[in-house]
Each structure stands twice: as C-alpha cells, then as structure tokens.
Amino acid sequence: MLRWNRWFDDLVASGKAVEGQPLELETRLVSGPRGERVTDGPFAESKEAVGGYVKLLVRDLEEATEIARRHPGLEHGLIIEVRRFMEVCHLGVTGTYRSKASVVSAS
C-alpha cells in the first residue's frame, strides 16, 4: 500500500494526476427504458470489475501507458486499462472535457 501511495503522490506532485479514488464493492445496475430495473451487487459472476481510477493530464496515450507501467500493483496481478476521455459524446451528451486527459483504471 505504501508503494501505491508513493506512486500516486508522485503523480500528483508532478501535476500528472488530477484525481484518483478506489470504488466501493457495493454496486447497483440500473436498466430498462425508464430505469425501472435496479439490481443490487456485488455480482459474483462478474469477470471484470473496475476497482478504482486515476485521472491523468498527459500529452497522449503513450505517456499514460508509461505511467500505468510503473504501477506497483502490476507485480501482484493487477490489470490496468488505459483510455482517453472522448472529446465529443457520440450520443450528444455534453459534459466537462479537459484536453489531453486519460484515465488509468485498475481492475
């Protein structure tokens, strides 16, 4: 845990990490046209789960990948997915967008 904290604190100090947070195990799935179906979790049958995220401000996907490659959890079997935020939502949903941001999520 100390190594993870040092990894994250170094990213914050260098201005590369904007935020990061583990996620609780309690889960709810909302579905149906009007959101009428709500299912409580956690779900044992889940093959993948997002355990948390780190929001980075980096030049490109390569820089975010290099940061992810230094995560101390990798040696314990952690799998990290690196993604960019979409600049424009294909559904037309508006939101806040900061250019050059990528997310490293750990599952």
Side-chain angles (χ1 to χ4, degrees):
M1 191 57 70
L2 293 174
R3 289 179 57 217
W4 190 96
N5 287 337
R6 185 171 45 247
W7 176 83
F8 183 75
D9 291 343
D10 288 348
L11 290 173
V12 171
S14 68
K16 296 295 180 183
V18 178
E19 62 181 288
Q21 190 73 26
L23 300 173
E24 293 284 346
L25 294 177
E26 182 180 3
T27 304
R28 284 206 173 145
L29 297 179
V30 178
S31 61
R34 293 169 302 287
E36 66 272 9
R37 285 182 291 239
V38 177
T39 308
D40 291 332
F43 303 99
E45 70 276 3
S46 177
K47 293 182 181 178
E48 296 180 4
V50 176
Y53 71 95
V54 175
K55 185 176 180 181
L56 302 173
L57 290 178
V58 294
R59 288 182 311 277
D60 52 29
L61 197 60
E62 286 72 29
E63 184 179 6
T65 302
E66 285 305 311
I67 289 171
R69 293 180 73 199
R70 295 191 303 264
H71 194 291
L74 291 171
E75 63 191 52
H76 302 286
L78 184 75
I79 297 171
I80 298 175
E81 180 176 341
V82 181
R83 290 186 177 200
R84 292 181 48 85
F85 284 102
M86 293 180 69
E87 292 184 35
V88 178
C89 177
H90 65 285
L91 300 173
V93 177
T94 59
T96 303
Y97 173 75
R98 294 178 74 172
S99 65
K100 300 181 182 177
S102 293
V103 170
V104 176
S105 65
S107 54

XYZ file of all heavy atoms in Angstrom:
836
model
N 0.826 -1.195 0.000
C 0.000 0.000 0.000
C 0.871 1.260 0.000
O 0.537 2.237 -0.657
C -0.928 -0.023 1.208
C -1.990 1.033 1.164
S -3.070 1.033 -0.282
C -4.010 -0.431 -0.010
N 1.967 1.208 0.716
C 2.858 2.369 0.750
C 3.422 2.673 -0.634
O 3.532 3.841 -1.008
C 3.989 2.148 1.747
C 3.581 2.081 3.219
C 4.777 1.722 4.091
C 2.964 3.397 3.669
N 3.741 1.622 -1.390
C 4.270 1.844 -2.739
C 3.212 2.451 -3.648
O 3.503 3.307 -4.477
C 4.796 0.528 -3.319
C 6.081 0.089 -2.619
C 6.629 -1.207 -3.146
N 6.874 -1.114 -4.570
C 6.670 -2.123 -5.408
N 6.222 -3.280 -4.990
N 6.917 -1.969 -6.691
N 1.940 1.999 -3.506
C 0.867 2.573 -4.317
C 0.692 4.046 -3.969
O 0.588 4.898 -4.851
C -0.447 1.824 -4.090
C -1.488 2.250 -5.079
C -1.793 1.625 -6.230
C -2.332 3.404 -5.024
N -2.783 2.312 -6.906
C -3.123 3.416 -6.182
C -2.491 4.447 -4.118
C -4.050 4.402 -6.443
C -3.422 5.441 -4.387
C -4.196 5.400 -5.538
N 0.684 4.359 -2.670
C 0.529 5.753 -2.245
C 1.670 6.620 -2.765
O 1.456 7.744 -3.224
C 0.442 5.851 -0.730
C -0.878 5.359 -0.200
O -1.877 5.326 -0.896
N -0.878 4.945 1.056
N 2.888 6.104 -2.719
C 4.036 6.872 -3.219
C 3.913 7.088 -4.732
O 4.165 8.175 -5.235
C 5.338 6.145 -2.870
C 6.568 6.939 -3.244
C 7.878 6.358 -2.730
N 7.983 4.927 -2.925
C 8.008 4.032 -1.923
N 7.930 4.408 -0.674
N 8.121 2.738 -2.192
N 3.485 6.032 -5.479
C 3.282 6.154 -6.919
C 2.277 7.257 -7.218
O 2.517 8.138 -8.038
C 2.805 4.805 -7.470
C 2.449 4.763 -8.922
C 3.306 4.613 -9.966
C 1.135 4.853 -9.489
N 2.600 4.610 -11.154
C 1.273 4.752 -10.887
C -0.136 5.009 -8.951
C 0.176 4.808 -11.748
C -1.218 5.060 -9.805
C -1.052 4.961 -11.184
N 1.138 7.230 -6.520
C 0.090 8.222 -6.757
C 0.533 9.615 -6.312
O 0.353 10.594 -7.045
C -1.197 7.817 -6.032
C -2.335 8.768 -6.289
C -2.998 8.758 -7.508
C -2.726 9.683 -5.334
C -4.036 9.639 -7.769
C -3.762 10.569 -5.577
C -4.412 10.541 -6.800
N 1.127 9.726 -5.128
C 1.574 11.032 -4.629
C 2.598 11.671 -5.563
O 2.589 12.888 -5.771
C 2.147 10.901 -3.220
C 1.083 10.580 -2.176
O -0.124 10.770 -2.464
O 1.466 10.124 -1.082
N 3.488 10.854 -6.136
C 4.457 11.385 -7.099
C 3.769 11.929 -8.352
O 4.176 12.951 -8.897
C 5.477 10.310 -7.497
C 6.461 9.989 -6.376
O 6.517 10.736 -5.381
O 7.159 8.957 -6.506
N 2.720 11.255 -8.802
C 1.963 11.740 -9.965
C 1.278 13.070 -9.661
O 1.274 13.976 -10.485
C 0.924 10.706 -10.397
C 1.459 9.429 -11.015
C 0.327 8.434 -11.240
C 2.180 9.723 -12.328
N 0.700 13.192 -8.475
C 0.046 14.448 -8.080
C 1.082 15.563 -7.994
O 0.872 16.670 -8.515
C -0.710 14.278 -6.739
C -1.205 15.614 -6.218
C -1.876 13.300 -6.898
N 2.207 15.289 -7.351
C 3.245 16.305 -7.182
C 3.805 16.783 -8.521
O 4.158 17.950 -8.667
C 4.372 15.753 -6.314
N 3.852 15.897 -9.513
C 4.371 16.281 -10.832
C 3.304 16.908 -11.725
O 3.589 17.288 -12.858
C 4.974 15.060 -11.528
O 3.960 14.128 -11.866
N 2.061 17.000 -11.222
C 0.984 17.597 -11.996
C 0.365 16.655 -13.007
O -0.409 17.088 -13.862
N 0.686 15.376 -12.947
C 0.159 14.407 -13.905
C -1.170 13.800 -13.475
O -1.984 13.444 -14.304
C 1.165 13.277 -14.150
C 2.451 13.739 -14.787
C 2.207 14.271 -16.167
C 3.492 14.733 -16.822
N 3.261 15.309 -18.124
N -1.393 13.640 -12.177
C -2.647 13.065 -11.684
C -3.548 14.174 -11.173
O -3.120 15.038 -10.411
C -2.394 12.046 -10.575
N -4.786 14.158 -11.607
C -5.771 15.146 -11.194
C -6.589 14.611 -10.020
O -6.882 15.322 -9.079
C -6.706 15.505 -12.369
C -7.771 16.494 -11.946
C -5.904 16.034 -13.531
N -6.962 13.345 -10.108
C -7.744 12.717 -9.050
C -7.634 11.213 -9.178
O -7.249 10.694 -10.215
C -9.216 13.135 -9.116
C -9.907 12.708 -10.404
C -11.358 13.153 -10.471
O -12.176 12.592 -9.743
O -11.642 14.064 -11.256
N -7.967 10.534 -8.117
C -7.977 9.083 -8.116
C -8.749 8.611 -6.902
O -8.736 9.267 -5.866
N -9.406 7.499 -7.045
C -10.253 7.030 -5.950
C -10.555 5.549 -6.142
O -10.911 5.127 -7.234
C -11.573 7.816 -5.947
C -12.430 7.613 -4.752
C -11.881 8.294 -3.523
O -11.163 9.271 -3.621
N -12.201 7.765 -2.380
N -10.435 4.752 -5.065
C -10.934 3.381 -5.160
C -12.460 3.405 -5.155
O -13.071 4.374 -4.702
C -10.391 2.704 -3.900
C -10.110 3.807 -2.957
C -9.823 5.032 -3.776
N -13.058 2.348 -5.664
C -14.515 2.256 -5.704
C -14.986 1.217 -4.699
O -14.340 0.194 -4.492
C -14.982 1.882 -7.111
C -14.595 2.873 -8.212
C -14.953 2.304 -9.574
C -15.260 4.205 -7.990
N -16.116 1.467 -4.069
C -16.717 0.522 -3.136
C -17.148 -0.729 -3.874
O -17.410 -0.712 -5.076
C -17.949 1.151 -2.466
C -17.634 2.300 -1.552
C -17.048 1.865 -0.224
O -17.122 0.665 0.123
O -16.505 2.738 0.469
N -17.255 -1.842 -3.155
C -17.712 -3.089 -3.770
C -19.216 -3.081 -4.035
O -19.695 -3.736 -4.956
C -17.361 -4.275 -2.871
C -15.871 -4.547 -2.703
C -15.653 -5.694 -1.727
C -15.224 -4.853 -4.040
N -19.970 -2.345 -3.199
C -21.427 -2.276 -3.384
C -21.728 -1.673 -4.747
O -21.176 -0.651 -5.129
C -22.061 -1.425 -2.291
C -23.556 -1.352 -2.392
C -24.178 -0.506 -1.287
O -23.445 0.076 -0.483
O -25.405 -0.429 -1.266
N -22.608 -2.327 -5.474
C -22.899 -1.947 -6.852
C -24.398 -1.957 -7.094
O -25.122 -2.740 -6.494
C -22.250 -2.961 -7.820
O -20.865 -3.017 -7.552
C -22.470 -2.585 -9.257
N -24.858 -1.111 -7.965
C -26.238 -1.158 -8.455
C -26.215 -1.040 -9.958
O -25.528 -0.196 -10.518
C -27.060 -0.012 -7.879
C -27.446 -0.232 -6.466
C -28.692 0.509 -6.119
N -29.067 0.101 -4.788
C -29.613 0.901 -3.912
N -29.858 2.141 -4.231
N -29.935 0.451 -2.729
N -26.985 -1.890 -10.588
C -27.190 -1.792 -12.027
C -28.580 -1.245 -12.254
O -29.551 -1.755 -11.691
C -27.075 -3.172 -12.677
C -25.732 -3.872 -12.574
C -25.792 -5.234 -13.253
C -24.628 -3.027 -13.174
N -28.676 -0.210 -13.045
C -29.965 0.392 -13.391
C -30.179 0.159 -14.873
O -29.319 0.471 -15.697
C -29.981 1.906 -13.069
C -31.292 2.526 -13.468
C -29.690 2.141 -11.588
N -31.339 -0.398 -15.226
C -31.623 -0.684 -16.629
C -33.115 -0.548 -16.896
O -33.903 -0.282 -15.994
C -31.136 -2.097 -16.988
O -31.807 -3.064 -16.207
N -33.481 -0.739 -18.145
C -34.860 -0.575 -18.564
C -35.069 0.820 -19.116
O -34.349 1.747 -18.758
N -36.053 0.986 -19.988
C -36.280 2.277 -20.644
C -36.491 3.441 -19.684
O -36.109 4.561 -19.967
C -37.538 2.042 -21.488
C -37.619 0.564 -21.671
C -36.982 -0.040 -20.463
N -37.086 3.182 -18.532
C -37.337 4.240 -17.558
C -36.553 4.007 -16.267
O -36.864 4.569 -15.236
C -38.830 4.335 -17.261
C -39.650 4.823 -18.466
C -41.145 4.684 -18.286
N -41.594 3.323 -18.024
C -41.645 2.337 -18.924
N -41.280 2.557 -20.156
N -42.067 1.132 -18.604
N -35.543 3.122 -16.326
C -34.747 2.821 -15.148
C -35.490 2.017 -14.108
O -35.170 2.073 -12.930
N -36.503 1.272 -14.545
C -37.353 0.561 -13.596
C -36.703 -0.676 -12.988
O -37.156 -1.184 -11.988
C -38.696 0.181 -14.230
C -38.617 -0.825 -15.363
C -38.411 -0.198 -16.730
O -38.163 1.024 -16.823
O -38.484 -0.932 -17.714
N -35.633 -1.168 -13.590
C -34.949 -2.343 -13.031
C -33.695 -1.892 -12.295
O -32.798 -1.290 -12.889
C -34.577 -3.317 -14.137
C -35.756 -4.097 -14.659
C -35.292 -5.075 -15.709
N -34.868 -4.299 -16.881
C -35.403 -4.427 -18.085
N -36.333 -5.315 -18.304
N -34.991 -3.679 -19.080
N -33.638 -2.201 -11.014
C -32.464 -1.891 -10.201
C -32.030 -3.190 -9.533
O -32.817 -3.838 -8.850
C -32.774 -0.821 -9.135
C -31.559 -0.563 -8.266
C -33.257 0.467 -9.794
N -30.789 -3.572 -9.755
C -30.248 -4.805 -9.195
C -29.065 -4.451 -8.311
O -28.155 -3.739 -8.739
C -29.775 -5.756 -10.319
O -30.840 -5.917 -11.257
C -29.373 -7.092 -9.767
N -29.094 -4.925 -7.063
C -28.009 -4.661 -6.126
C -26.897 -5.683 -6.292
O -27.138 -6.845 -6.585
C -28.517 -4.713 -4.684
C -29.438 -3.542 -4.359
O -29.273 -2.485 -4.988
O -30.293 -3.680 -3.487
N -25.657 -5.268 -6.075
C -24.494 -6.147 -6.142
C -23.682 -6.010 -4.876
O -24.143 -5.365 -3.947
N -22.502 -6.587 -4.762
C -21.623 -7.014 -5.843
C -22.092 -8.290 -6.522
O -22.886 -9.036 -5.971
C -20.272 -7.230 -5.147
C -20.596 -7.478 -3.729
C -21.892 -6.773 -3.451
N -21.574 -8.507 -7.716
C -22.004 -9.618 -8.546
C -20.870 -10.628 -8.676
O -19.848 -10.358 -9.287
C -22.430 -9.112 -9.924
C -23.508 -8.075 -9.821
C -23.207 -6.727 -9.892
C -24.824 -8.444 -9.599
C -24.200 -5.770 -9.777
C -25.825 -7.501 -9.481
C -25.513 -6.164 -9.564
N -21.075 -11.793 -8.088
C -20.035 -12.836 -8.089
C -19.708 -13.322 -9.489
O -18.589 -13.747 -9.761
C -20.492 -14.006 -7.224
N -20.661 -13.246 -10.416
C -20.427 -13.758 -11.759
C -19.647 -12.787 -12.647
O -19.346 -13.089 -13.775
C -21.758 -14.125 -12.430
C -22.643 -12.937 -12.789
C -23.508 -12.423 -11.644
O -23.415 -12.926 -10.528
O -24.294 -11.482 -11.889
N -19.331 -11.631 -12.131
C -18.607 -10.638 -12.916
C -17.205 -11.133 -13.250
O -16.470 -11.587 -12.385
C -18.516 -9.318 -12.142
O -17.764 -8.393 -12.874
N -16.828 -11.075 -14.529
C -15.497 -11.483 -14.952
C -14.511 -10.334 -14.839
O -13.319 -10.544 -14.721
C -15.535 -11.985 -16.389
C -16.316 -13.269 -16.543
C -16.285 -13.736 -17.967
C -17.106 -15.007 -18.092
N -17.144 -15.477 -19.457
N -15.011 -9.112 -14.907
C -14.164 -7.937 -14.800
C -14.831 -6.939 -13.877
O -16.053 -6.854 -13.815
C -13.965 -7.284 -16.167
C -13.235 -8.143 -17.151
C -13.069 -7.455 -18.492
O -13.460 -6.283 -18.625
O -12.543 -8.096 -19.405
N -14.026 -6.193 -13.159
C -14.560 -5.157 -12.280
C -13.565 -4.011 -12.235
O -12.361 -4.223 -12.270
C -14.787 -5.714 -10.882
N -14.070 -2.810 -12.187
C -13.208 -1.639 -12.035
C -13.073 -1.379 -10.548
O -14.057 -1.139 -9.855
C -13.801 -0.408 -12.763
C -12.941 0.814 -12.517
C -13.931 -0.693 -14.247
N -11.843 -1.446 -10.054
C -11.607 -1.269 -8.625
C -11.334 0.172 -8.248
O -11.386 0.534 -7.075
N -11.045 1.009 -9.220
C -10.765 2.410 -8.956
C -10.279 3.077 -10.233
O -10.244 2.455 -11.291
N -9.907 4.327 -10.116
C -9.435 5.044 -11.298
C -8.438 6.118 -10.885
O -8.401 6.551 -9.731
C -10.602 5.691 -12.059
C -11.190 6.861 -11.313
C -10.771 8.161 -11.603
C -12.117 6.684 -10.303
C -11.274 9.242 -10.902
C -12.633 7.755 -9.609
C -12.202 9.027 -9.910
O -12.702 10.096 -9.212
N -7.632 6.533 -11.846
C -6.745 7.678 -11.698
C -6.922 8.507 -12.958
O -6.787 8.002 -14.072
C -5.266 7.251 -11.548
C -4.364 8.474 -11.512
C -5.076 6.400 -10.302
N -7.251 9.767 -12.781
C -7.403 10.687 -13.911
C -6.087 11.425 -14.099
O -5.585 12.059 -13.184
C -8.535 11.668 -13.634
C -8.845 12.585 -14.783
C -10.047 13.444 -14.439
C -10.412 14.373 -15.551
N -11.571 15.224 -15.177
N -5.523 11.289 -15.307
C -4.223 11.871 -15.610
C -4.350 13.023 -16.594
O -5.230 13.019 -17.447
C -3.320 10.810 -16.244
C -3.059 9.539 -15.447
C -2.290 8.544 -16.298
C -2.313 9.860 -14.168
N -3.441 13.970 -16.493
C -3.280 15.021 -17.500
C -1.946 14.760 -18.182
O -0.895 15.029 -17.619
C -3.298 16.407 -16.857
C -4.635 16.865 -16.309
C -4.500 18.231 -15.659
C -5.679 16.919 -17.411
N -2.014 14.200 -19.376
C -0.814 13.790 -20.100
C -0.913 14.219 -21.556
O -1.968 14.610 -22.035
C -0.623 12.253 -20.012
C -0.329 11.835 -18.583
C -1.837 11.507 -20.541
N 0.221 14.124 -22.258
C 0.267 14.515 -23.674
C -0.548 13.586 -24.552
O -1.225 14.011 -25.474
C 1.710 14.499 -24.179
C 2.598 15.600 -23.677
C 3.991 15.512 -24.297
N 4.568 14.181 -24.232
C 5.204 13.683 -23.170
N 5.364 14.417 -22.098
N 5.710 12.449 -23.197
N -0.428 12.267 -24.291
C -1.037 11.298 -25.190
C -1.189 9.953 -24.487
O -0.818 9.790 -23.326
C -0.205 11.158 -26.471
C 1.267 10.890 -26.200
O 1.598 10.278 -25.156
O 2.098 11.291 -27.031
N -1.732 9.001 -25.217
C -1.970 7.664 -24.686
C -0.655 6.969 -24.306
O -0.610 6.199 -23.353
C -2.744 6.842 -25.712
C -3.424 5.579 -25.221
C -4.437 5.884 -24.138
C -4.100 4.869 -26.386
N 0.408 7.264 -25.046
C 1.701 6.651 -24.747
C 2.218 7.078 -23.381
O 2.734 6.253 -22.614
C 2.723 6.991 -25.843
C 2.506 6.238 -27.137
C 1.277 6.718 -27.920
O 0.916 7.909 -27.810
O 0.681 5.892 -28.627
N 2.094 8.367 -23.052
C 2.545 8.836 -21.739
C 1.706 8.198 -20.629
O 2.235 7.785 -19.597
C 2.484 10.362 -21.644
C 3.035 10.878 -20.333
C 3.015 12.391 -20.210
O 2.470 13.080 -21.101
O 3.540 12.889 -19.196
N 0.406 8.101 -20.834
C -0.457 7.463 -19.838
C -0.085 5.995 -19.662
O -0.070 5.470 -18.542
C -1.922 7.591 -20.253
N 0.251 5.332 -20.766
C 0.650 3.926 -20.699
C 1.949 3.770 -19.922
O 2.091 2.852 -19.103
C 0.800 3.347 -22.120
O -0.444 3.489 -22.802
C 1.204 1.889 -22.086
N 2.906 4.643 -20.143
C 4.168 4.585 -19.401
C 3.935 4.778 -17.900
O 4.567 4.120 -17.079
C 5.159 5.617 -19.932
C 5.773 5.217 -21.246
C 6.434 3.838 -21.186
O 7.218 3.570 -20.248
O 6.149 3.017 -22.075
N 3.023 5.661 -17.539
C 2.686 5.848 -16.123
C 2.062 4.574 -15.574
O 2.405 4.115 -14.480
C 1.755 7.070 -15.951
C 2.541 8.361 -16.206
C 1.122 7.080 -14.559
C 1.696 9.608 -16.282
N 1.153 3.977 -16.323
C 0.497 2.741 -15.880
C 1.515 1.617 -15.708
O 1.396 0.802 -14.790
C -0.577 2.330 -16.880
N 2.524 1.569 -16.555
C 3.539 0.514 -16.482
C 4.361 0.585 -15.201
O 5.006 -0.404 -14.832
C 4.456 0.585 -17.700
C 3.716 0.235 -18.990
C 4.610 0.299 -20.181
N 5.503 -0.866 -20.118
C 6.638 -0.938 -20.785
N 7.031 0.054 -21.543
N 7.381 -2.010 -20.691
N 4.338 1.707 -14.513
C 5.079 1.857 -13.258
C 4.216 1.566 -12.025
O 4.687 1.678 -10.902
C 5.654 3.270 -13.164
C 6.691 3.572 -14.222
C 7.449 4.857 -13.960
N 6.610 6.029 -13.833
C 6.339 6.891 -14.815
N 6.839 6.689 -16.020
N 5.578 7.944 -14.606
N 2.956 1.185 -12.219
C 2.070 0.933 -11.079
C 2.564 -0.276 -10.291
O 2.782 -1.347 -10.862
C 0.633 0.692 -11.550
C -0.363 0.752 -10.438
N -0.427 -0.208 -9.451
C -1.314 1.664 -10.149
C -1.378 0.099 -8.600
N -1.929 1.240 -9.001
N 2.745 -0.135 -8.980
C 3.275 -1.244 -8.177
C 2.337 -2.444 -8.073
O 2.783 -3.544 -7.748
C 3.511 -0.614 -6.807
C 2.673 0.608 -6.776
C 2.538 1.075 -8.193
N 1.069 -2.291 -8.386
C 0.132 -3.405 -8.303
C 0.283 -4.424 -9.416
O -0.210 -5.545 -9.307
N 0.981 -4.068 -10.488
C 1.155 -4.993 -11.611
C 1.851 -6.282 -11.186
O 1.505 -7.358 -11.651
C 1.928 -4.314 -12.742
C 1.192 -3.190 -13.467
C 2.140 -2.460 -14.399
C -0.007 -3.731 -14.219
N 2.812 -6.171 -10.286
C 3.535 -7.372 -9.858
C 2.673 -8.307 -9.015
O 3.059 -9.433 -8.736
C 4.813 -7.003 -9.111
C 4.582 -6.250 -7.827
C 5.867 -5.682 -7.257
O 6.604 -4.987 -7.985
O 6.125 -5.944 -6.069
N 1.490 -7.860 -8.637
C 0.547 -8.679 -7.868
C -0.648 -9.121 -8.721
O -1.652 -9.564 -8.189
C 0.057 -7.914 -6.634
C 1.181 -7.503 -5.741
N 1.861 -8.391 -4.937
C 1.753 -6.291 -5.550
C 2.797 -7.744 -4.276
N 2.755 -6.477 -4.627
N -0.549 -8.969 -10.045
C -1.603 -9.436 -10.936
C -2.621 -8.384 -11.336
O -3.568 -8.687 -12.052
N -2.445 -7.146 -10.894
C -3.364 -6.070 -11.273
C -3.343 -5.884 -12.783
O -2.283 -5.978 -13.413
C -2.934 -4.767 -10.600
C -3.829 -3.559 -10.803
C -5.089 -3.692 -9.952
C -3.085 -2.294 -10.416
N -4.484 -5.660 -13.367
C -4.595 -5.353 -14.786
C -5.086 -3.921 -14.901
O -6.066 -3.538 -14.264
C -5.579 -6.309 -15.487
C -5.051 -7.742 -15.398
C -5.796 -5.889 -16.941
C -6.040 -8.780 -15.870
N -4.421 -3.133 -15.697
C -4.747 -1.709 -15.833
C -5.213 -1.432 -17.253
O -4.564 -1.837 -18.219
C -3.532 -0.834 -15.498
C -3.123 -1.063 -14.041
C -3.835 0.635 -15.759
C -1.866 -0.349 -13.641
N -6.333 -0.748 -17.358
C -6.857 -0.325 -18.655
C -6.608 1.170 -18.785
O -6.909 1.929 -17.868
C -8.360 -0.612 -18.709
C -8.994 -0.204 -20.013
C -10.466 -0.593 -20.060
O -10.894 -1.458 -19.282
O -11.179 -0.019 -20.884
N -6.043 1.587 -19.896
C -5.729 2.993 -20.145
C -6.635 3.482 -21.270
O -6.674 2.882 -22.342
C -4.246 3.172 -20.537
C -3.930 4.644 -20.770
C -3.331 2.580 -19.476
N -7.365 4.555 -21.012
C -8.290 5.121 -22.012
C -8.210 6.637 -22.014
O -7.909 7.243 -21.005
C -9.744 4.779 -21.678
C -10.125 3.372 -21.849
C -11.610 3.277 -21.610
N -12.097 1.939 -21.815
C -13.352 1.659 -22.037
N -14.250 2.629 -22.073
N -13.736 0.421 -22.214
N -8.559 7.207 -23.153
C -8.724 8.656 -23.258
C -10.188 8.996 -23.000
O -11.068 8.186 -23.258
C -8.351 9.146 -24.654
C -6.888 9.017 -24.964
C -6.565 9.540 -26.358
N -7.136 10.840 -26.631
C -6.565 12.012 -26.298
N -5.414 12.015 -25.689
N -7.135 13.155 -26.597
N -10.439 10.186 -22.533
C -11.805 10.694 -22.476
C -12.203 11.082 -23.892
O -11.392 11.591 -24.662
C -11.902 11.944 -21.590
C -11.845 11.638 -20.136
C -10.680 11.835 -19.422
C -12.949 11.146 -19.479
C -10.621 11.557 -18.078
C -12.905 10.867 -18.136
C -11.735 11.065 -17.420
N -13.460 10.848 -24.229
C -13.951 11.263 -25.540
C -14.123 12.779 -25.544
O -14.632 13.350 -24.595
C -15.280 10.584 -25.841
C -15.156 9.084 -26.020
S -16.743 8.302 -26.377
C -17.054 8.930 -28.016
N -13.683 13.413 -26.613
C -13.846 14.864 -26.728
C -15.302 15.230 -26.970
O -15.779 16.235 -26.482
C -12.964 15.398 -27.851
C -11.489 15.280 -27.532
C -10.635 15.909 -28.602
O -11.039 16.935 -29.181
O -9.552 15.367 -28.852
N -15.988 14.395 -27.726
C -17.394 14.627 -28.039
C -18.122 13.298 -27.869
O -17.690 12.275 -28.391
C -17.565 15.136 -29.489
C -19.030 15.318 -29.821
C -16.791 16.420 -29.711
N -19.221 13.327 -27.163
C -20.002 12.113 -26.957
C -20.784 11.784 -28.227
O -21.452 12.649 -28.792
C -20.958 12.286 -25.784
S -22.022 10.860 -25.507
N -20.700 10.528 -28.652
C -21.411 10.118 -29.866
C -22.930 10.155 -29.681
O -23.674 10.129 -30.645
C -20.964 8.723 -30.299
C -21.319 7.646 -29.325
N -20.640 7.464 -28.140
C -22.282 6.728 -29.350
C -21.183 6.461 -27.484
N -22.177 5.987 -28.193
N -23.388 10.257 -28.425
C -24.822 10.356 -28.156
C -25.290 11.808 -28.031
O -26.465 12.065 -27.833
C -25.167 9.600 -26.864
C -24.834 8.110 -26.862
C -25.067 7.527 -25.483
C -25.661 7.387 -27.911
N -24.344 12.742 -28.097
C -24.700 14.145 -27.989
C -24.760 14.650 -26.556
O -25.181 15.775 -26.310
N -24.330 13.839 -25.592
C -24.332 14.246 -24.192
C -23.206 15.237 -23.973
O -22.082 15.023 -24.414
C -24.149 13.022 -23.265
C -24.070 13.443 -21.812
C -25.270 12.020 -23.484
N -23.486 16.335 -23.296
C -22.451 17.324 -23.017
C -21.912 17.108 -21.612
O -22.594 16.604 -20.730
C -22.995 18.764 -23.142
O -24.071 18.925 -22.221
C -23.467 19.040 -24.546
N -20.687 17.480 -21.411
C -20.047 17.350 -20.113
C -18.802 18.202 -20.090
O -18.512 18.937 -21.022
N -18.054 18.071 -19.029
C -16.812 18.816 -18.908
C -15.700 18.018 -19.537
O -15.552 16.833 -19.274
C -16.489 19.056 -17.420
O -17.585 19.742 -16.826
C -15.232 19.873 -17.257
N -14.929 18.662 -20.367
C -13.818 17.993 -21.034
C -12.568 18.822 -20.854
O -12.562 20.006 -21.110
C -14.107 17.820 -22.528
C -12.925 17.275 -23.287
C -12.583 15.929 -23.181
C -12.142 18.098 -24.073
C -11.493 15.420 -23.857
C -11.053 17.594 -24.757
C -10.729 16.262 -24.646
O -9.654 15.757 -25.309
N -11.524 18.180 -20.365
C -10.209 18.816 -20.265
C -9.320 18.093 -21.250
O -9.139 16.896 -21.149
C -9.649 18.696 -18.855
C -10.456 19.481 -17.848
C -9.906 19.292 -16.480
N -8.671 20.053 -16.357
C -8.028 20.208 -15.225
N -8.470 19.647 -14.124
N -6.931 20.904 -15.160
N -8.780 18.801 -22.195
C -7.982 18.150 -23.229
C -6.787 17.437 -22.636
O -6.308 17.776 -21.556
C -7.506 19.177 -24.253
O -6.626 20.086 -23.649
N -6.317 16.448 -23.353
C -5.137 15.679 -23.003
C -5.298 14.903 -21.700
O -4.344 14.688 -20.985
C -3.905 16.583 -22.936
C -3.609 17.287 -24.241
C -2.380 18.126 -24.127
C -2.152 18.855 -25.429
N -1.018 19.741 -25.385
N -6.490 14.488 -21.380
C -6.689 13.703 -20.161
C -6.920 12.254 -20.516
O -7.590 11.942 -21.485
C -7.893 14.241 -19.384
N -6.315 11.393 -19.751
C -6.520 9.958 -19.892
C -6.844 9.391 -18.536
O -6.522 9.968 -17.518
C -5.256 9.276 -20.430
O -4.992 9.683 -21.742
N -7.470 8.251 -18.525
C -7.804 7.583 -17.279
C -7.094 6.251 -17.232
O -7.093 5.517 -18.206
C -9.332 7.358 -17.147
C -9.646 6.450 -15.967
C -10.036 8.684 -16.978
N -6.503 5.981 -16.114
C -5.937 4.668 -15.854
C -6.865 4.018 -14.856
O -7.037 4.506 -13.743
C -4.520 4.779 -15.262
C -3.986 3.410 -14.899
C -3.586 5.502 -16.222
N -7.523 2.948 -15.244
C -8.410 2.264 -14.310
C -7.823 0.920 -13.971
O -7.220 0.262 -14.796
C -9.815 2.106 -14.890
O -9.802 1.261 -16.002
N -7.968 0.548 -12.741
C -7.410 -0.722 -12.273
C -8.535 -1.684 -11.979
O -9.529 -1.330 -11.365
C -6.574 -0.486 -11.025
N -8.378 -2.889 -12.449
C -9.380 -3.909 -12.154
C -8.720 -5.155 -11.630
O -7.537 -5.284 -11.639
C -10.196 -4.207 -13.387
O -9.402 -4.555 -14.488
